Amino acid sequence: GIAFAWECGALPPPTTPIPTSETPAPPPSFCESMTVSDDTAGSVAYPASGNYPHNENVCWKVRCAGEVTLSWSRFRTESGYDFASLYMVSGAGDLSRVWKRDGTELPVATSHAGDVLVHFESDHSVNDLGIAFAWECGALPPPTTPIPTSETPAPPPSFCESMTVSDDTAGSVAYPASGNYPHNENVCWKVRCAGEVTLSWSRFRTESGYDFASLYMVSGAGDLSRVWKRDGTELPVATSHAGDVLVHFESDYWVNDLGIAFAWECTA
């Protein structure tokens, strides 16, 4: 059987509301367990060998003072039932999901300002080899323009020679409308949503290694956090983000291609 004892004492003093490295925040409710790392570089392989267990809800949180780059070397889950999700974590501990995915397609490497959280969940039947990722922390990017408002919109970031801003709840961009994109371009599109915005891509054709498209999340204060920067011809997967997003396209002086096309939809 069992034996236990207890002793009653005074209530502890209230805790500080904002988590710090000395007083870490509890894991989100969907994490049954969470591993937290302050290492500037590291990796996770889950499981270490064999297939992952059923009915799992596990999380890994990486805390970086600057920008963290996340890369993936394994992604094998039961399609439609077992998932991995990537979240950005604000200074106040709020989560903003970058993506949720399943199947066997390896996610592209992405960079984010500050902390990130990876969540893995499996159901009661069928499993696979799971996930493996690595991270590296770097310095913060330079600060961007502070606090834009709809009445006094912030100027575009310095790397945007022109920027189109939309408050529409749904829309699309095809750049260029026809033919190949021009040389020496630095153009941006900003989508402002009161809720969550879902971005999907129907065209992605750039000169590999020289012409790029980048996707940024935009905070309420106007700060940018890059989700990815990519080139070539692989179509990005659809992603959902809380609030505003910015797409940046840049080309060099030589060789061009058909460019990019994307659509968005805002939801509450």
Side-chain angles (χ1 to χ4, degrees):
I2 60 173
F4 62 93
W6 71 89
E7 184 176 354
C8 298
L11 281 171
T15 56
T16 306
I18 299 174
T20 68
S21 56
E22 291 75 25
T23 57
S29 58
F30 54 73
C31 300
E32 292 180 0
S33 67
M34 184 168 77
T35 303
V36 179
S37 176
D38 293 308
D39 294 340
T40 56
S43 62
V44 166
Y46 182 79
S49 62
N51 288 3
Y52 53 78
H54 301 305
N55 301 312
E56 284 288 87
N57 265 296
V58 292
C59 295
W60 300 267
K61 184 177 181 181
V62 177
R63 300 194 294 197
C64 278
E67 189 173 70
V68 55
T69 298
L70 214 66
S71 57
W72 298 77
S73 56
R74 185 174 78 218
F75 200 99
R76 294 285 300 271
T77 79
E78 181 193 7
S79 293
Y81 296 94
D82 301 339
F83 299 91
S85 300
L86 173 62
Y87 292 85
M88 294 179 62
V89 187
S90 73
D94 298 319
L95 300 182
S96 178
R97 192 170 70 197
V98 178
W99 51 250
K100 178 179 180 178
R101 58 196 301 164
D102 57 313
T104 59
E105 183 182 352
L106 211 60
V108 296
T110 51
S111 296
H112 311 274
D115 302 350
V116 295
L117 182 141
V118 174
H119 171 223
F120 180 82
E121 54 186 306
S122 63
D123 71 351
H124 61 90
S125 73
V126 184
N127 51 15
D128 210 319
L129 294 175
I131 61 174
F133 61 91
W135 72 88
E136 185 173 356
C137 299
L140 276 172
T144 56
T145 308
I147 313 182
T149 69
S150 55
E151 294 75 23
T152 56
S158 58
F159 53 72
C160 300
E161 292 179 0
S162 68
M163 184 168 77
T164 303
V165 179
S166 176
D167 293 307
D168 295 341
T169 56
S172 61
V173 166
Y175 183 78
S178 62
N180 287 4
Y181 53 78
H183 302 303
N184 301 311
E185 284 287 89
N186 266 294
V187 292
C188 295
W189 299 267
K190 185 177 181 180
V191 177
R192 300 193 294 195
C193 279
E196 187 173 70
V197 56
T198 299
L199 215 65
S200 58
W201 298 78
S202 56
R203 185 173 78 217
F204 200 98
R205 292 287 299 273
T206 79
E207 181 194 8
S208 293
Y210 296 93
D211 301 337
F212 299 90
S214 299
L215 173 62
Y216 293 85
M217 295 180 64
V218 188
S219 75
D223 298 318
L224 300 182
S225 178
R226 192 169 69 197
V227 179
W228 50 251
K229 178 179 181 179
R230 58 195 300 163
D231 58 314
T233 59
E234 183 183 351
L235 210 60
V237 296
T239 51
S240 297
H241 312 273
D244 303 349
V245 295
L246 182 140
V247 175
H248 173 222
F249 180 82
E250 55 186 304
S251 62
D252 71 352
Y253 65 94
W254 190 254
V255 183
N256 51 13
D257 209 319
L258 294 176
I260 61 175
F262 60 92
W264 72 87
E265 184 175 357
C266 300
T267 55

